């Protein structure tokens, strides 16, 4: 829309194609399929900083963080800044700026009590108390579980909760295979696991490799009796469990009454849990809430990851060369506009926040063939422009219903309507797109009323 409705366009008659066609296609076809509106071009504000010390980098990093916050606040967006995984870009720290939206592609957790927020790839688990040095009392028993390969099926078959099952997942990477155990009702965070293993490529092992390593099909792997050379890592959620159920490394069978130490020698533990809503906050005694967000900005402390291999150095007072500390800061311009639409719309179309709107006022003359309507509309257009207000003048020869529908679809913050009927009573109609509450004022008061409503847009 912003590519079509340009600021140098005075009226609808100058538009190259029908706004109704564009918006209807977006509403009925594109948005239901893809959720988030994306532009054909990806426009990004990108910046880098170079420093002689980590302290100087942190100072600029905080300045950029505050600047980004001010930008998104000025755009009237409901956003949050979250701790994020640096991914392939790397570095010691990074934060994402997320606009809250049901159609967002990123899952984010946030604590309403202390304000901690992170995407689920980065979110931490609250540190657990050390497990008591005790072993369960149940006897390890091999139980037939024919055709029961999923945690849910096994738990239902044995009449136990899924949290009492420990599932074993085998992963393949450039450093070889690794087995990971996690509570049956939870999932492994593969980003955390990849970072923990310090690998670039990580994927669940193929069914063939699982069978070669365990002797059983996928769904029946377990930590008891794994090959000696296969690395075994336990997520912290299972450290204190006793008398639990695992795969028997044999088709159609599981082991019950399994305990660490007695049945499995597991000594490597890590926080590998995929956090979700309802989990305890890692920073306070609050509870995390889960929501979806659209990433509109990302800032990184790159450190010397790139400056060292590129020999990007500075010379200190003593004449010695040192690699520069680098920062990286990106803001998605088009994505910010798309995110604003996701947060500001109804069933009839867009509701633009004023700072992002292509125009501030939509001026609609309902009877362009009526000389008085045209005279008043033209005069109000000139008066608004003199005030420095951006106006789109709908002077098309269309029925009022079409004009009103298009006005709702495009979503310009304030609408000023001049019609023959209301003009006979000495009035014109002014309204906000957000609430569409109509106010009738005299033509001479219309500009002041528009300015007043723009202050609320």
């Amino acid at each position: 829309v912003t590519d079509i409705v340009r600021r140098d366009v005075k009226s609808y008659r100058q538009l190259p194609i029908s706004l109704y066609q564009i918006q209807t296609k977006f509403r009925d076809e594109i948005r239901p399929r893809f959720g988030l509106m994306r532009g054909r071009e990806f426009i990004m504000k990108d910046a880098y900083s170079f420093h002689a010390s980590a302290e100087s980098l942190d100072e600029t990093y905080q300045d950029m963080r505050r600047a980004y916050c001010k930008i998104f606040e000025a755009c009237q967006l409901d956003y949050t800044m979250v701790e994020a995984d640096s991914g392939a870009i790397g570095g010691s720290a990074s934060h994402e700026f997320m606009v809250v939206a049901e159609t967002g592609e990123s899952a984010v957790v946030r604590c309403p009590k202390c304000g901690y927020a992170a995407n689920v790839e980065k979110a931490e688990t609250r540190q657990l108390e050390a497990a008591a040095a005790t072993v369960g009392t149940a006897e390890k028993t091999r139980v037939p579980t024919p055709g029961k390969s999923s945690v849910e099926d096994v738990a239902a078959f044995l009449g136990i909760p899924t949290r009492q099952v420990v599932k074993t997942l085998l992963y393949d990477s450039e450093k070889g295979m690794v087995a990971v155990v996690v509570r049956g009702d939870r999932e492994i965070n593969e980003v955390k696991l990849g970072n923990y293993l310090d690998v670039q490529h990580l994927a669940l092992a193929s069914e063939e490799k699982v069978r070669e390593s365990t002797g059983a099909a996928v769904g029946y792997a377990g930590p008891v009796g794994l090959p000696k050379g296969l690395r075994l890592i336990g997520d912290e959620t299972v450290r204190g469990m006793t008398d639990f159920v695992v795969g028997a490394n044999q088709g159609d069978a599981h082991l019950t009454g399994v305990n660490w130490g007695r049945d499995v020698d597991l000594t490597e533990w890590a926080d590998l849990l995929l956090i979700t809503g309802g989990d305890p906050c890692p920073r306070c005694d609050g509870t995390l809430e889960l929501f979806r967000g659209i990433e509109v900005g990302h800032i990184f402390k790159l450190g010397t990851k790139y400056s060292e291999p590129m020999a990007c150095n500075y010379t200190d007072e003593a004449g010695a060369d040192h690699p520069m500390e680098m920062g990286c800061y990106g803001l998605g311009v088009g994505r910010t506009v798309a995110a604003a639409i996701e947060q500001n719309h109804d069933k009839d179309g867009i509701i633009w926040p004023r700072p992002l709107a292509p125009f501030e006022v939509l001026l609609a003359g309902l009877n362009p063939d009526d000389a008085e309507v045209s005279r008043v509309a033209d005069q109000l257009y000139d008066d608004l422009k003199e005030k420095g207000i951006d106006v789109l003048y709908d002077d098309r020869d269309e029925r009022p219903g079409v004009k009103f529908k298009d006005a709702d679809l495009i979503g310009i913050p304030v609408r000023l309507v001049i019609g023959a009927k209301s003009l006979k009573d000495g009035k014109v109609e002014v309204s906000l797109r957000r609430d569409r509450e109509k106010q009738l004022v005299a033509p001479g008061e219309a500009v002041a009323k528009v300015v007043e409503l723009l202050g609320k847009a």
Side-chain angles (χ1 to χ4, degrees):
V1 173
T2 52
D3 284 341
I4 295 165
V5 184
R6 302 186 185 278
R7 291 182 179 273
D8 58 352
V9 171
K10 174 181 176 180
S11 74
Y12 268 84
R13 290 178 182 176
Q14 295 175 286
L15 295 175
I17 57 177
S18 166
L19 283 172
Y20 181 81
Q21 290 175 333
I22 296 167
Q23 294 283 15
T24 301
K25 188 174 184 65
F26 165 66
R27 183 194 63 199
D28 296 339
E29 299 179 31
I30 299 174
R31 192 171 183 273
R33 287 176 59 196
F34 300 104
L36 172 66
M37 188 185 85
R38 294 176 180 268
R40 292 178 65 185
E41 296 179 338
F42 180 72
I43 301 173
M44 184 174 182
K45 189 287 301 173
D46 210 4
Y48 295 85
S49 61
F50 302 85
H51 309 267
S53 67
E55 292 76 18
S56 174
L57 167 59
D58 184 65
E59 183 178 342
T60 297
Y61 189 86
Q62 296 304 325
D63 286 343
M64 294 297 287
R65 177 188 64 79
R66 285 187 288 270
Y68 276 32
C69 289
K70 288 182 179 180
I71 289 170
F72 298 127
E73 288 165 7
C75 291
Q76 301 177 9
L77 297 176
D78 177 13
Y79 78 98
T80 187
M81 186 183 75
V82 304
E83 295 181 15
D85 181 75
S86 297
I89 292 178
S92 61
S94 76
H95 288 83
E96 291 176 335
F97 295 83
M98 292 284 188
V99 170
V100 180
E102 292 180 1
T103 55
E105 71 277 23
S106 300
V108 178
V109 289
R110 178 170 55 185
C111 177
K113 188 170 184 179
C114 72
Y116 169 79
N119 65 30
V120 293
E121 296 173 345
K122 178 71 174 180
E124 302 169 8
T125 305
R126 180 184 293 175
Q127 291 297 315
L128 305 177
E129 296 180 2
T134 59
V135 177
T137 57
E139 181 180 350
K140 183 182 71 173
T141 306
R142 187 181 302 274
V143 177
T145 54
K148 312 299 181 185
S149 60
S150 72
V151 169
E152 292 76 17
D153 288 346
V154 171
F157 183 76
L158 299 176
I160 60 173
T162 54
R163 62 182 295 126
Q164 195 57 26
V165 178
V166 171
K167 59 184 175 185
T168 304
L169 302 172
L170 273 70
Y171 285 91
D172 207 358
S173 75
E174 69 268 23
K175 293 184 178 180
M177 298 254 310
V178 61
V180 184
V181 290
V182 66
R183 211 170 73 190
D185 61 338
R186 301 305 298 264
E187 300 295 332
I188 289 292
N189 185 328
E190 294 182 355
V191 174
K192 284 185 181 179
L193 177 60
N195 290 338
Y196 180 77
L197 297 174
D198 191 23
V199 296
Q200 295 297 317
H201 306 287
L202 183 73
L204 284 169
S206 66
E207 185 170 351
E208 181 181 355
K209 288 189 175 183
V210 171
R211 193 179 293 274
E212 289 176 0
S213 300
T214 69
V218 173
Y220 296 98
V224 179
L226 286 174
K228 292 291 185 181
L230 184 59
R231 184 178 179 183
L232 178 63
I233 307 172
D235 177 65
E236 292 286 356
T237 55
V238 301
R239 188 196 282 260
M241 291 180 63
T242 60
D243 298 337
F244 47 86
V245 175
V246 299
N249 291 326
Q250 175 186 330
D252 294 334
H254 282 75
L255 299 177
T256 63
V258 176
N259 288 275
W260 306 120
R262 186 193 70 182
D263 305 310
V264 185
D265 185 18
L266 177 54
T267 58
E268 186 174 2
W269 302 92
D271 171 18
L272 304 175
L273 191 67
L274 183 67
I275 299 300
T276 188
D279 284 343
C281 174
R283 304 290 170 81
C284 73
D285 59 357
T287 300
L288 297 175
E289 296 176 345
L290 180 70
F291 66 94
R292 303 205 67 80
I294 301 169
E295 180 189 350
V296 291
H298 205 153
I299 57 177
F300 301 83
K301 290 183 180 180
L302 300 177
T304 60
K305 178 179 178 179
Y306 299 97
S307 56
E308 284 184 345
M310 293 190 298
C312 181
N313 301 323
Y314 72 95
T315 304
D316 65 15
E317 294 86 347
D321 287 343
H322 304 276
M324 294 185 182
E325 297 279 343
M326 290 178 60
C328 175
Y329 320 93
L331 189 155
V333 178
R335 297 201 99 211
T336 299
V337 174
I341 293 172
E342 288 299 317
Q343 282 193 342
N344 298 274
H345 69 272
D346 57 20
K347 63 182 179 61
D348 295 316
I350 300 171
I351 305 172
W352 283 109
R354 182 186 177 187
L356 296 177
F359 293 90
E360 295 173 290
V361 176
L362 175 65
L363 174 64
L366 297 188
N367 311 92
D369 293 334
D370 186 302
E372 183 62 11
V373 168
S374 294
R375 185 192 67 78
V376 172
D378 289 348
Q379 182 62 54
L380 286 173
Y381 176 83
D382 292 337
D383 293 344
L384 290 167
K385 294 296 288 183
E386 283 185 14
K387 287 283 187 180
I389 297 171
D390 287 318
V391 186
L392 178 61
Y393 188 177
D394 188 349
D395 55 351
R396 296 173 298 167
D397 186 15
E398 288 283 2
R399 290 176 287 110
V402 172
K403 293 191 174 187
F404 291 147
K405 187 64 176 178
D406 286 352
D408 286 339
L409 285 167
I410 194 172
I412 292 173
V414 174
R415 185 188 310 176
L416 175 56
V417 179
I418 296 90
K421 184 177 179 181
S422 59
L423 201 56
K424 286 181 181 179
D425 297 328
K427 301 291 184 181
V428 295
E429 180 185 295
V430 188
S431 62
L432 275 173
R433 169 63 179 91
R434 191 166 297 279
D435 59 23
R436 287 184 282 197
E437 183 178 336
K438 301 173 183 177
Q439 300 184 48
L440 295 174
V441 299
E445 301 171 357
V447 173
K449 177 57 68 174
V450 165
V451 172
E452 177 188 330
L453 292 183
L454 283 174
K456 302 175 181 179

